[in-house]
Amino acid sequence: MRAWINGQTLADASQPAIGVTDHGFTVGDGVFEAVKVVDNVPFALTRHLARLQTSASALGLPEVDLGEVRRGIEATMAGQDLPMGRIRITVTGGIAPLGSGRGDDPCTVAVVTAPAKPYPATTKLATFPYPRNERGVLAGVKTTSYAENVVALAHAAEVGATEALFVNTAGNLCEGTGSNIFYVVDGELRTPTLASGCLAGVTRALIIEWCDVREVDEPAGVLAEADEIFLASTIRDVQGVHQLDDRVLPAPGPVTAAAMATWATREAESPDP
Ligand SMILES: Cc1ncc(COP(=O)(O)O)c(C=O)c1O
């Protein structure tokens, strides 16, 4: 693992390097990205950096110097052999007073790069009993304020699942704690619209471009009729769901398997689609 913070490469990535009054640390005032590395090359980096900028803007943080972020990525990848890896980019409000108000210091920009492993082809998903607020100011923004996701994922782990499913305040399907959801009804591949409050996932966007998908908002109960369900996210790529709560499904089903195959082909064709 290698880390870079505000222009400096850290000799030891496990050593403390962020100020204790950093607004990202004290109140979760920050945004982040997770980028997959394939054969030592970041995948879909342009899209991830664009979303980082959008997230920062949604929080009212200053414009991110994306050239600087790219230099941080290069610095953390140097000297590592990464057949598969994960780049984590974090931008916070920087050193600030001990409250919700921001200080005048520059943002903290950090990059950490580490090896990663593929996800299992299928998994169990558990519905989280508390709603995702699709009307909140942070809906669909990739902020470091992810404690709600932490609690939801812990709930899923308690019932033997590896991902939690959020339903929004309207009772419609939304997303997972770190993934977007796709499902098949009557042979049609569907996913919630961005109005559901889900993150505009990079993986989701590519699947919509590469496969025949209908974006639609529907009550979560539609999953009782779904023949297949899959999750999509960076590094996870396309992952079949073999169980949702008490319901066992065939996985990966034919539509999921086709999406997996398309993903593998298209990912190999271009590192920055
Ligand atoms: C809440 C949430 N939804 C969806 C996703 C999937 O997004 P992406 O495909 O860009 O990784 C993520 C990524 O971690 C996420 O945190």
Side-chain angles (χ1 to χ4, degrees):
M1 183 191 293
R2 284 171 65 89
W4 173 103
I5 296 173
N6 296 332
Q8 302 290 320
T9 301
L10 297 187
D12 181 349
S14 65
Q15 287 303 302
I18 305 278
V20 75
T21 60
D22 189 288
H23 226 208
F25 175 67
T26 55
V27 297
D29 176 22
V31 296
F32 76 102
E33 280 298 318
V35 184
K36 186 183 182 188
V37 177
V38 184
D39 294 333
N40 294 307
V41 181
F43 179 71
L45 184 58
T46 304
R47 288 177 187 256
H48 282 285
L49 293 183
R51 188 174 62 188
L52 183 72
Q53 198 70 274
T54 305
S55 299
S57 163
L59 252 63
L61 289 169
E63 190 175 342
V64 181
D65 180 347
L66 297 180
E68 183 74 349
V69 173
R70 283 183 184 271
R71 282 189 286 282
I73 292 171
E74 279 166 26
T76 57
M77 290 184 66
Q80 293 200 78
D81 182 30
L82 295 167
M84 184 183 276
R86 176 196 299 265
I87 302 166
R88 161 81 190 219
I89 307 161
T90 309
V91 178
T92 78
I95 299 297
L98 297 175
S100 294
R102 289 206 176 108
D104 298 324
D105 273 47
C107 288
T108 298
V109 182
V111 181
V112 180
T113 300
K117 288 189 186 143
Y119 278 62
T122 69
T123 197
K124 178 177 170 186
L125 179 64
T127 307
F128 189 53
Y130 298 89
R132 179 73 110 202
N133 183 3
E134 73 281 12
R135 291 173 296 151
V137 70
L138 297 184
V141 182
K142 201 162 171 73
T143 78
T144 56
S145 302
Y146 256 31
E148 184 178 55
N149 295 14
V150 173
V151 174
L153 196 53
H155 168 84
E158 275 170 23
V159 295
T162 67
E163 179 60 304
L165 173 64
F166 282 105
V167 176
N168 66 21
T169 65
N172 290 333
L173 282 174
C174 184
E175 65 178 345
T177 66
S179 60
N180 291 107
I181 185 162
F182 290 75
Y183 56 101
V184 179
V185 175
D186 295 333
E188 182 181 65
L189 182 56
R190 302 178 186 171
T191 196
T193 75
L194 296 183
S196 73
C198 70
L199 182 75
V202 168
T203 318
R204 172 188 181 278
L206 290 171
I207 293 170
I208 290 171
E209 281 182 30
W210 294 341
C211 306
D212 192 10
V213 182
R214 182 155 76 96
E215 292 175 80
V216 57
D217 290 316
E218 300 188 279
V222 70
L223 291 185
E225 306 159 35
D227 298 313
E228 298 177 45
I229 301 173
F230 69 77
L231 302 173
S233 69
T234 295
I235 301 182
R236 183 192 312 258
D237 301 334
V238 175
Q239 184 182 40
V241 172
H242 62 245
Q243 190 171 346
L244 168 64
D245 301 325
D246 292 332
R247 187 171 172 231
V248 174
L249 296 106
V255 178
T256 306
M260 285 172 164
T262 301
W263 183 272
T265 307
R266 299 298 290 258
E267 184 185 77
E269 275 172 15
S270 167
D272 205 12

